[in-house]
């Protein structure tokens, strides 16, 4: 045990000993390295960042007011079709009410991003809290949670969301911010149970581990154990789930708006735009196809990012 | 076995009860009466009162719920508020079409997903492997209504190959697009599961044992790998059924298929609560039964699960 | 005596992202019909891969047998087409795997898993095969064998499952059985039963077997000869009595020092082999054991010794060690007394002690990879 042998780097010693050596790094840096090597995930991340920037700067970037109607220019075609209905002011054309499609697409990103992140944040705060308590203490909370999940699992998410939204649409909550708040609530009510159940499962398996026993042995309180030991170790699958929950919330909004029970027109969202244009879809397809493309790109990006995060954080997780 | 089935069947009852309760409470929470929809020409107050009495809407809420439950047990969901027909009649008319659509879509999904998942697991990094990754990525991420729009645009509008409005009796060309689009989501999902569980099964020790016995590769795959790999696939058929149910009302609305799903969306837009209640209960029952069936089948497929 | 099995210069490699793992690096040995051989070494030294290579069961990719020949009954297994190899597997060479918990298919009945080989190789019909299966299960002492035919593996205990594996291996009267750590996953009390069963049945059927283990104690009464493997190479060959009485390689000394013995002074301490097994992607240039050897000299690092006959030993006793070969510094030393250069020992210990724990874990993970798991 000489100081000299301590002085050489781990790497050199490993080389001397001829054993395989990987540099020791924290789990998170390691995960980031793995994520960075995943080209699809990085492309997804870039798109997500761009979408966020567009959403944040929508009022500055969008060339026109997304709800302003320029009736003479209605149904003008996008620049690649030009022809007699082309209006050079509207790059991607205008819809049947003469609203600039480009501006509407940009403003829609704003709603989508908000819809994607806000309910996810709410859902995870509630779900993690309840799941931790249920998993850690068991008892009534745990029983209630399990029964509740049984019921919620018999209800397809979307069906549940639709019923909540339909019932409360005509209330003041339903009308607030064009229905945005109601969608937040509906998504949160439906999804927190799944997160709670996931957290509960993690906590159940973690709390038997030696390091939790050790923490308990040195007198750590339940709050400390939950915060410092259980949560950090349960975080990886939760982050992955969150990465998938963002696009599924966006999808829910798009479906609701497409069906006519989501965000109220004239507030533009991609779902609303598709709904608006769907009646005349066979004659003027672009007002419908363009938002469809936007949704697809954003959904794909989130999925790639989610897949990448899963592979990077928790390779054992399936699907 | 019988005991287990009975116990599981009994568990269905509280689940459906809570589904009914939640739906009912939410429907009650909706402000206003279903008869004040027409804002420009409101009905006379006396008429509304008469209508409320007729539909039992003037009685206390809990009483209404008890009445609803009592009727629901007898599979009677009342009469539509807007159309002069019973809910059963409306659902009964749409159900065969929706069921046909769902079953065909499930069949298409399985018929594509399982072979595709198996082949891409056996031939990693082949063209088929990439095709299945592509399919499952598209199918799981792009919303079905967007896929429907793209399909309608290419095959209906541009190429004029397939019709995209309506349904038919027996087998009809109009059924192709709705069925395929509805199948895509579950198909993608099932392909992913099949691939993952094949890859998992193929590297198990017992597969090496099977090879060490001198069995041919085909026998190894079919009797040793596939039999294990399909167990997880069977377990996700419950969620797949749920996906088909939620998918069906979007698809039926887009393609104007006169099924339960379209009635559901229509009733939601019209706030026709008896129909909403009836269809919701139907959907919940379908999903609960699908999950139950899957659990029982799982017990049969996997000898390690003690069903007793 | 015509050899049943003659392995010459076998090399099996795994092509991984980190580099080529030389799991088996030039292994040669022979086995006569009915003879029993033990292959001993730490995990990750290439024993299992050698066995799998004999049956061409190396998962490919990433694995590949890159060189050598495996003459079995006068035919080169490596030159056979796939059908011919399958004709040998289970029929002429059978294998018993380490973990009976995972080596039996959970969704097939015991009888199905035994009869499929009988139907395939011996062309029995279903009824005949079932009858034979009952006999086989009785042979391996499974109580009420007939009743348990249609049970599933999870209904059997670990020891019982390994008996089933032995029955399965014996089913087609193979000439050679490869037993890869057959008792490692079992309770100590069961281990002896299973080993006895294997030994007695092999004798009864005149079946040759190769017993692969990391535990010298296990092979002691089991096999006629023992080959010690280290780092993908055979480092010592001797018959069993000779190896225990007169080992000629510091690695074997290390193995012997690390097994508890009843016949020795109770105060004698068990001494582990310090250090870690070599990285088979870039093995040491000289003797593969040199980085962990407390008897090492400069030559050990510079040049690799051959596996050759050595002085002070039986004629067929070979070792791969500069020290014990003719003219070496260990020719006359008694391994019981001479514990080597203590400074070298301390240096090895110190180096390992300072390694972060994840290095050791990486090493373990790589063992799994080499086994093709």
């Amino acid at each position: 045990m000489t100081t000299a042998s301590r002085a050489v780097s781990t790497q050199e010693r490993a080389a001397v000993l001829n054993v395989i050596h990987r540099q020791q790094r924290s789990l998170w840096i390691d995960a980031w390295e793995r994520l960075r090597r995943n080209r699809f995930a990085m492309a997804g991340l870039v798109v997500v960042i761009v979408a966020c920037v567009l959403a944040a700067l929508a009022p500055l970037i969008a060339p026109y007011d997304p709800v302003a109607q320029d009736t003479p220019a209605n149904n003008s075609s996008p620049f690649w079709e030009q022809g007699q209905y082309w209006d050079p002011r509207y790059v991607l054309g205008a819809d049947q009410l003469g609203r600039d499609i480009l501006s509407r697409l940009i403003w829609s990103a704003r709603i989508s991003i908000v819809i994607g992140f806000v309910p996810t944040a709410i859902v995870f705060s509630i779900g993690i809290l309840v799941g931790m308590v249920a998993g850690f203490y068991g008892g009534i909370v745990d029983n209630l949670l399990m029964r509740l999940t049984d019921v919620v699992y018999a209800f397809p998410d979307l069906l549940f969301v639709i019923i909540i939204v339909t019932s409360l649409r005509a209330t003041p909550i339903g009308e607030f911010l064009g229905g945005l708040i109601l969608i937040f609530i509906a998504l949160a009510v439906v999804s927190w149970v799944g997160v709670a159940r996931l957290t509960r499962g993690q906590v159940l398996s973690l709390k038997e581990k030696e390091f939790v026993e050790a923490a308990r042995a040195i007198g750590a309180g339940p709050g400390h154990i939950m915060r410092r030991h259980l949560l950090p170790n349960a975080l990886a699958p939760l982050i992955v789930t969150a990465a998938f929950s963002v696009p599924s919330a966006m999808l829910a909004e798009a479906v609701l708006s497409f069906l006519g029970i989501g965000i109220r027109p004239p507030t533009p969202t991609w779902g609303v735009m598709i709904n608006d244009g769907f009646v005349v879809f066979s004659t003027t397809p672009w007002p419908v196809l363009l938002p469809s493309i936007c949704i697809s790109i954003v959904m794909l990006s989130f999925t790639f990012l989610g897949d990448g995060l899963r592979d990077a954080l928790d390779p054992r997780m399936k699907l | 076995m019988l005991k287990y089935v009975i116990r599981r069947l009994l568990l269905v009852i509280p689940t459906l009860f809570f589904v009914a309760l939640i739906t009912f409470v939410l429907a009650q929470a909706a402000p206003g009466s279903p008869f004040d929809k027409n804002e420009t020409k409101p009905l006379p107050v006396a008429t509304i009162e008469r209508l409320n009495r007729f539909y039992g809407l003037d009685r206390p809420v809990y009483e209404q719920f008890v009445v609803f439950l009592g009727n629901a047990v007898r599979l009677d969901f009342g009469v539509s508020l807007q159309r002069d027909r019973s809910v059963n009649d409306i659902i009964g008319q749409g159900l065969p079409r929706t069921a046909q659509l769902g079953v065909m879509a499930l069949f298409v999904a399985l018929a594509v997903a399982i072979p595709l998942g198996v082949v891409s697991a056996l031939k990693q990094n082949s063209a088929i492997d990439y095709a299945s990754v592509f399919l499952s990525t598209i199918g799981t991420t792009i919303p079905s209504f967007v896929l429907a729009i793209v399909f309608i645009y290419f095959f209906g509008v541009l190429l004029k190959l397939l019709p995209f409005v309506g349904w038919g009796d027996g087998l009809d060309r109009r059924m192709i697009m709705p069925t395929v689009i509805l199948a895509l989501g579950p198909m993608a999902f099932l392909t992913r599961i099949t691939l993952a569980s094949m890859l998992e099964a193929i590297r198990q020790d017992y597969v090496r044992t099977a090879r060490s016995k001198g069995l041919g590769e085909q026998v190894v795959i079919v009797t040793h790998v596939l039999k294990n790999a399909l167990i997880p696939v069977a377990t996700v058929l419950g969620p797949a059924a749920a996906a088909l149910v939620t998918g069906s009302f979007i698809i039926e609305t887009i393609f104007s298929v006169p099924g339960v799903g379209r009635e559901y969306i229509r009733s939601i837009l019209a706030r026709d609560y008896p129909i909403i209640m009836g269809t919701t209960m139907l959907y919940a029952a379908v999903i609960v039964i699908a999950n139950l069936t899957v659990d029982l089948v799982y017990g049969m497929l996997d000898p390690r699960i003690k069903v007793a | 005596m015509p050899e049943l099995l003659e392995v010459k210069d076998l090399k099996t490699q795994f092509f991984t992202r980190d580099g080529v793992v030389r799991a088996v690096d030039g292994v040669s040995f022979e086995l006569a019909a009915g003879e029993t051989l033990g292959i001993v070494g730490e995990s990750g030294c290439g024993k299992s891969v050698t066995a799998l290579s004999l049956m061409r069961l190396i998962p490919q990719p990433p694995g590949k047998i890159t060189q050598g020949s495996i003459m079995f009954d006068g035919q080169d297994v490596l030159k056979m087409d796939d059908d011919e190899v399958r004709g040998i597997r289970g029929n002429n060479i059978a294998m018993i795997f380490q973990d009976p918990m995972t080596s039996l298919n959970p969704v097939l009945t015991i009888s199905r898993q035994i009869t499929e080989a009988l139907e395939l190789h011996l062309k029995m019909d279903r009824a005949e095969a079932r009858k034979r299966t009952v006999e086989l299960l009785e042979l391996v002492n499974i109580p009420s064998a007939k009743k348990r035919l249609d049970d599933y593996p999870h209904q059997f205990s670990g020891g019982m499952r390994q008996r089933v594996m032995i029955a399965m291996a014996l089913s087609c009267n193979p000439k050679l059985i490869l037993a890869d750590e057959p008792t490692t996953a079992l309770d100590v009390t069961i281990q002896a039963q299973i080993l006895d069963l294997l030994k007695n049945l092999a004798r009864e059927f005149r079946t040759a077997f190769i017993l692969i283990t990391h535990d010298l104690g296990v092979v002691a009464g089991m096999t006629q000869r023992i080959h010690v493997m280290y780092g993908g190479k055979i480092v010592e060959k001797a018959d069993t009595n000779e190896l225990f009485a007169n080992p000629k390689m510091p690695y074997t000394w290390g193995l012997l020092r690390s097994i508890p013995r009843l016949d020795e002074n109770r105060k004698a301490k068990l001494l582990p082999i310090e250090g870690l097994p070599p990285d088979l992607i870039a093995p040491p240039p000289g003797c593969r054991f040199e980085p962990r050897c407390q008897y090492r000299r400069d030559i050990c690092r510079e040049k690799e010794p051959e596996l050759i006959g050595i002085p002070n030993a039986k004629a067929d006793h070979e070792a791969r060690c500069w020290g014990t070969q003719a003219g070496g510094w260990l020719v006359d030393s008694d391994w019981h007394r001479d514990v080597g250069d203590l400074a070298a020992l301390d240096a090895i210990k110190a180096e390992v002690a300072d390694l972060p724990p994840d290095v050791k874990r990486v090493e373990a993970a790589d063992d799994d990879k080499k086994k093709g798991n």
Side-chain angles (χ1 to χ4, degrees):
Chain A
M1 214 63 71
T2 56
T3 29
S5 87
R6 285 199 179 280
V8 285
S9 77
T10 332
Q11 233 152 351
E12 278 165 292
R13 262 182 286 124
V16 171
L17 270 174
N18 206 262
V19 290
I20 299 166
H21 177 250
R22 312 260 191 286
Q23 194 149 21
Q24 214 175 3
R25 282 178 302 218
S26 90
L27 170 78
W28 299 106
I29 295 176
D30 225 31
W32 167 244
E33 281 301 319
R34 279 197 291 267
L35 185 65
R36 238 182 36 172
R37 277 200 299 265
N38 184 333
R39 271 176 297 159
F40 282 103
M42 289 323 278
L45 184 63
V46 169
V47 174
V48 168
I49 291 172
V50 168
C52 289
V53 170
L54 281 181
L57 303 179
L60 301 176
I61 297 171
Y64 298 96
D65 179 351
V67 294
Q69 303 180 5
D70 180 6
T71 318
N74 70 345
N75 289 335
S76 60
S77 49
F79 68 91
W80 57 88
E81 279 191 353
Q82 303 219 346
Q84 70 178 108
Y85 295 115
W86 184 54
D87 186 327
R89 285 174 304 162
Y90 304 120
V91 184
L92 297 180
D95 68 6
Q96 72 271 30
L97 295 178
R99 295 174 294 196
D100 178 37
I101 289 181
L102 178 62
S103 306
R104 286 178 75 73
L105 287 176
I106 295 172
W107 277 87
S108 296
R110 193 168 226 209
I111 303 277
S112 272
I113 294 293
V114 170
I115 290 267
F117 285 100
V118 175
T120 300
I122 302 175
V123 160
F124 276 75
S125 324
I126 303 175
I128 289 176
L129 192 70
V130 176
M132 292 272 259
V133 170
F136 194 77
Y137 292 107
I140 296 178
V141 183
D142 194 30
N143 263 323
L144 275 179
L145 177 66
M146 295 316 284
R147 292 294 77 77
L148 197 60
T149 30
D150 281 347
V151 178
V152 172
Y153 279 15
F155 243 136
D157 287 2
L158 192 58
L159 201 67
F160 203 174
V161 170
I162 286 179
I163 288 177
I164 296 175
V165 168
T166 325
S167 319
L168 303 179
R169 242 170 103 71
T171 61
I173 301 174
E175 285 172 17
F176 194 51
L177 288 184
L180 196 63
I181 300 298
L182 180 57
I183 292 181
F184 287 172
I185 294 173
L187 286 172
V189 166
V190 173
S191 327
W192 73 269
V193 185
V195 177
R197 192 164 172 151
L198 175 69
T199 314
R200 171 189 177 270
Q202 290 285 316
V203 169
L204 276 185
S205 69
L206 284 171
K207 78 172 180 184
E208 304 301 328
K209 293 270 165 70
E210 290 82 354
F211 63 87
V212 176
E213 289 295 324
R216 226 185 293 236
I218 58 168
H224 177 85
I225 291 177
M226 281 193 245
R227 266 196 324 276
R228 304 301 307 229
H229 296 281
L230 298 180
L231 186 58
N233 282 292
L235 214 50
L238 286 170
I239 289 177
V240 175
T241 315
F244 287 112
S245 128
V246 171
S248 70
M250 291 177 170
L251 170 66
E253 181 276 321
V255 171
L256 291 177
S257 298
F258 169 68
L259 292 174
I261 47 176
I263 302 292
R264 282 158 207 269
T267 310
T269 81
W270 294 324
V272 165
M273 290 176 74
I274 295 173
N275 185 34
D276 282 348
F278 194 64
V279 202
V280 288
F281 173 52
S282 17
T283 48
T284 48
W286 289 111
V288 172
L289 287 178
L290 288 170
S292 301
I293 292 168
C294 290
I295 294 181
S296 305
I297 291 174
V298 170
M299 299 294 287
L300 271 177
S301 306
F302 270 103
T303 308
F304 286 152
L305 185 57
D307 280 342
L309 277 173
R310 182 199 56 214
D311 293 344
L313 282 172
D314 194 353
R316 285 157 305 150
M317 245 171 107
K318 292 212 196 84
L319 296 173
Chain B
M1 180 75 189
L2 190 66
K3 247 193 201 156
Y4 177 76
V5 175
I6 291 172
R7 210 177 59 219
R8 286 300 314 263
L9 276 174
L10 287 178
L11 268 175
V12 167
I13 295 169
T15 308
L16 288 181
F17 172 81
F18 279 110
V19 170
L21 183 63
I22 292 170
T23 321
F24 190 85
V25 168
L26 283 169
Q28 285 297 323
S33 144
F35 309 115
D36 59 8
K37 253 203 100 195
N38 195 337
E39 275 146 30
T40 49
K41 222 171 64 188
L43 292 168
V45 178
T47 317
I48 290 183
E49 269 173 14
R50 216 173 46 227
L51 281 167
N52 278 343
R53 211 165 28 248
F54 177 76
Y55 289 108
L57 299 180
D58 56 340
R59 284 189 272 173
V61 177
Y62 64 88
E63 231 181 282
Q64 287 186 44
F65 183 60
V66 172
V67 171
F68 168 78
L69 269 189
N71 291 335
V73 169
R74 279 174 275 131
L75 298 179
D76 174 8
F77 294 97
V79 180
S80 159
L81 297 181
Q82 261 103 27
R83 285 180 283 166
D84 194 17
R85 291 168 66 194
S86 80
V87 173
N88 284 357
D89 188 26
I90 292 172
I91 292 181
Q93 199 177 29
L95 192 56
R97 300 181 185 118
T98 301
Q100 189 190 3
L101 174 63
V103 170
M104 288 198 310
L106 185 61
F107 182 77
V108 170
L110 284 172
V112 176
I114 290 178
L116 197 57
V118 169
V119 172
S120 43
L122 296 179
K123 300 219 183 309
Q124 288 258 284
N125 299 323
S126 67
I128 290 194
D129 187 18
Y130 290 127
S132 82
V133 170
F134 179 75
L135 176 86
S136 57
T137 311
I138 296 292
T140 44
T141 51
I142 313 252
S144 65
F145 71 94
V146 170
L147 285 172
I149 284 166
V150 174
F151 269 59
I152 291 176
Y153 183 64
F154 279 105
F155 297 108
V157 178
L158 279 187
L159 302 174
K160 297 193 172 34
L161 277 177
L162 289 169
F164 53 89
V165 177
W167 195 241
D169 297 313
L171 289 174
D172 193 296
R173 268 164 52 84
R174 284 175 290 182
M175 294 174 181
I176 297 176
M177 263 215 268
T179 308
V180 170
I181 306 276
L182 182 57
L184 273 176
M187 187 192 291
F189 179 52
L190 290 168
T191 306
R192 271 188 151 191
I193 301 269
T194 311
L195 174 60
S197 74
M198 276 295 289
L199 290 178
E200 174 76 21
I202 230 165
R203 56 183 203 89
Q204 295 297 317
D205 287 350
Y206 55 75
V207 175
R208 193 175 56 187
T209 310
R211 290 211 175 97
S212 81
K213 282 187 254 184
L215 301 175
E217 203 49 32
Q218 218 172 334
V219 181
V220 172
I221 297 300
V222 174
T223 57
H224 288 266
V225 179
L226 211 53
K227 220 171 163 181
N228 281 281
L230 288 184
I231 292 173
V233 177
T235 60
V236 297
L237 287 180
L244 286 174
V245 165
T246 37
S248 73
F249 51 73
I250 299 166
I251 297 299
E252 286 181 14
T253 307
I254 294 179
F255 291 97
S256 310
V257 179
V260 181
R262 199 178 62 156
E263 288 302 342
Y264 178 67
I265 297 298
R266 220 194 247 175
S267 65
I268 275 179
L269 294 175
R271 286 204 266 143
D272 194 340
Y273 290 110
I275 302 186
I276 298 181
M277 294 293 294
T279 38
T280 305
M281 293 307 293
L282 173 73
Y283 285 146
V286 167
I287 286 162
V288 168
I289 290 168
N291 282 329
L292 179 65
T293 317
V294 164
D295 279 0
L296 295 180
V297 170
Y298 181 46
M300 283 191 281
L301 285 178
D302 191 338
R304 283 163 298 185
I305 305 294
K306 268 252 169 59
V307 186
Chain C
M1 196 163 165
E3 300 290 357
L4 173 69
L5 178 71
E6 204 174 337
V7 178
K8 261 204 194 116
D9 199 23
L10 180 70
K11 285 191 182 175
T12 304
Q13 305 182 335
F14 289 88
F15 296 84
T16 67
R17 213 172 28 182
D18 298 319
V20 180
V21 180
R22 300 160 194 280
V24 176
D25 204 15
V27 162
S28 305
F29 63 92
E30 306 81 37
L31 193 72
E35 197 186 5
T36 56
L37 169 70
I39 296 183
V40 184
E42 288 167 293
S43 47
C45 71
K47 312 171 303 242
S48 298
V49 177
T50 306
L52 291 173
S53 301
L54 297 184
M55 292 179 86
R56 292 237 319 248
L57 280 174
I58 298 293
Q60 185 178 356
K64 195 168 186 245
I65 299 171
T66 52
Q67 197 181 313
S69 66
I70 299 170
M71 300 301 288
F72 181 81
D73 243 1
Q75 270 187 298
D76 190 347
V77 176
L78 297 184
K79 292 209 173 90
M80 291 178 177
D81 64 30
D82 286 352
D83 280 339
E84 289 172 309
V85 173
R86 277 197 283 270
I88 286 192
R89 285 182 197 156
N91 193 13
N92 298 324
I93 309 180
M95 190 150 179
I96 300 168
F97 294 97
Q98 174 172 353
D99 190 350
M101 298 295 179
T102 58
S103 296
L104 288 169
N105 193 326
V107 302
L108 298 179
T109 60
I110 295 298
S111 68
R112 185 77 206 105
Q113 296 188 56
I114 298 181
T115 54
E116 61 183 353
L118 292 169
E119 287 167 21
L120 175 75
H121 294 301
L122 305 183
K123 309 282 176 261
M124 290 184 177
D125 62 31
R126 200 44 71 100
E128 269 179 289
R130 276 180 74 90
K131 226 179 98 207
R132 174 84 179 122
T133 303
V134 177
E135 291 167 16
L136 284 165
L137 292 179
E138 279 165 355
L139 204 61
V140 295
N141 300 327
I142 288 187
S144 46
K146 209 171 210 162
K147 269 195 236 153
R148 309 213 60 179
L149 267 188
D150 294 315
D151 279 0
Y152 288 93
H154 71 275
Q155 290 159 300
F156 283 70
S157 68
M160 284 295 163
R161 285 189 224 185
Q162 201 58 304
R163 287 169 195 270
V164 171
M165 286 296 288
I166 293 176
M168 196 184 283
L170 287 169
S171 62
C172 301
N173 295 319
K175 292 178 182 161
L176 172 62
I177 290 179
L178 307 173
D180 184 4
E181 306 259 11
T183 58
T184 310
L186 302 177
D187 285 353
V188 184
T189 47
I190 314 282
Q191 286 186 3
Q193 295 175 18
I194 296 289
L195 289 172
D196 275 351
L197 181 72
L198 182 64
K199 189 168 79 173
N200 295 336
L201 288 175
R203 190 179 299 153
E204 196 180 322
F205 290 89
R206 292 177 214 295
T207 310
F209 72 82
I210 298 179
L211 177 65
I212 291 162
T213 177
H214 64 279
D215 186 353
L216 261 178
V218 163
V219 282
M222 285 289 293
T223 61
Q224 294 159 316
R225 286 191 297 141
I226 294 179
H227 292 174
V228 179
M229 273 189 87
Y230 185 80
K233 298 202 170 205
I234 294 179
V235 292
E236 184 163 13
K237 286 181 173 179
D239 66 48
T240 304
N241 292 335
E242 166 78 3
L243 188 96
F244 280 96
N246 188 22
K248 282 295 183 188
M249 161 83 199
Y251 178 59
T252 314
W253 299 349
L255 288 177
L256 284 167
R257 281 190 189 117
S258 62
I259 49 171
R261 294 184 61 143
L262 291 174
D263 56 345
E264 294 227 331
N265 184 351
R266 288 220 183 148
K267 281 181 189 143
K269 269 199 280 180
L270 291 180
L271 294 171
I273 304 175
E274 299 294 342
L276 296 167
D279 172 9
L280 294 177
I281 292 176
C287 173
R288 298 209 166 170
F289 188 58
E290 180 273 334
R292 302 169 71 184
C293 184
Q294 64 247 43
Y295 302 90
R296 62 193 172 196
R297 298 266 167 102
D298 284 347
I299 187 170
C300 299
R301 189 175 342 193
E302 286 151 13
K303 240 175 104 186
E304 186 169 21
E306 293 293 309
L307 181 66
I308 49 171
I310 38 179
N312 283 349
K314 276 194 178 176
D316 61 349
H317 190 163
E318 295 176 4
R320 192 189 285 278
C321 176
W322 290 119
T324 57
Q325 286 175 6
W329 59 97
L330 296 170
V331 170
D332 295 312
S333 67
D334 174 0
W335 69 277
H336 289 284
R337 298 215 172 73
D338 176 9
V339 290
D341 177 359
L342 291 174
L345 190 62
D346 279 345
I348 298 165
K349 271 190 198 168
E351 279 164 341
V352 180
D354 281 0
L355 278 180
D358 68 324
V359 173
K360 292 174 197 168
R361 247 183 287 126
V362 165
E363 192 57 44
D366 280 10
D367 289 346
D368 285 348
K369 216 163 44 190
K370 280 165 211 154
K371 280 184 207 144
N373 288 344

